[in-house]
Amino acid sequence: MRIDGCSDIEDPAPLAQQAAWQDVEPIAQDDGPSPICPIAYTDEYREMMGYLRAVMAAGEESARALALSGRVIQANPGHYTAWVYRKRLVEALASDIGAELDWVSALSAKHPKNYQLWHHREALVERLWPARAALALPEDQRLANPVLRRELQFVGSALDEDAKNFHA
């Protein structure tokens, strides 16, 4: 699945056909010997998850792992483990937080009530401007900060679209 404004999917070909993934052996999901009700994943999602499990098991912290996490999240925005891994990758790779916020903003247009998305966004904002530093300032100085202004505008827009978006 491709979401406008999200740039993680550079090559839509199956990962097994991409040169960048030839060194990774996907790890299949283990549902045990006799699963009662196996989930009918698409072949594309099953493949992405096999590669995600493999890079996570290897502790890989790379741009390709970050792109893969985004690809998985676009396919399944509620995948908590993929979000946690993505947060770790953003920190480990010292990724551009503004670009990551833009990515999350684009994703939120399609999934405005996704808890994981809002939690990730909160963690990103905290990296840009820690709450402890913000609370040490008088209110007028806090409101003048561009990070806070951006977030207030973003949250305001989300609430304008749906006043019952309790995630915002």
Side-chain angles (χ1 to χ4, degrees):
M1 169 186 234
R2 176 85 166 97
I3 296 176
D4 291 337
C6 294
S7 62
D8 287 301
I9 302 174
E10 295 172 7
D11 183 351
L15 297 172
Q17 296 175 8
Q18 296 180 30
W21 293 97
Q22 294 305 303
D23 64 319
V24 177
E25 181 66 34
I27 298 175
Q29 180 169 316
D30 182 3
D31 290 330
S34 303
I36 295 172
C37 186
I39 299 172
Y41 295 117
T42 65
D43 289 341
E44 178 186 14
Y45 187 75
R46 185 176 293 110
E47 179 192 45
M48 286 188 299
M49 286 306 304
Y51 281 90
L52 185 68
R53 281 189 287 276
V55 295
M56 288 175 64
E60 183 173 323
E61 294 176 340
S62 67
R64 75 175 180 176
L66 182 66
L68 178 60
S69 73
R71 196 169 176 171
V72 168
I73 288 167
Q74 287 182 59
N76 180 4
H79 196 303
Y80 179 77
T81 303
W83 280 105
V84 170
Y85 184 53
R86 185 171 182 91
K87 178 181 178 284
R88 189 177 101 206
L89 292 171
V90 166
E91 292 171 356
L93 299 172
S95 296
D96 178 347
I97 302 297
E100 183 72 1
L101 279 169
D102 291 342
W103 183 84
V104 172
S105 296
L107 190 62
S108 72
K110 183 145 176 94
H111 304 283
K113 292 185 177 182
N114 180 288
Y115 171 78
Q116 290 82 1
L117 180 148
W118 283 96
H119 181 73
H120 186 69
R121 186 174 190 93
E122 179 183 3
L124 294 171
V125 170
E126 177 70 19
R127 285 185 57 83
L128 282 175
W129 197 36
R132 182 170 295 170
L135 292 173
L137 296 173
E139 184 175 352
D140 61 329
Q141 288 180 18
R142 273 183 276 173
L143 294 175
N145 184 284
V147 173
L148 182 59
R149 293 174 64 93
R150 175 183 174 153
E151 285 311 296
L152 288 173
Q153 183 179 17
F154 184 81
V155 171
S157 294
L159 292 173
D160 286 344
E161 286 185 33
D162 183 352
K164 293 187 177 184
N165 184 347
F166 302 117
H167 298 80

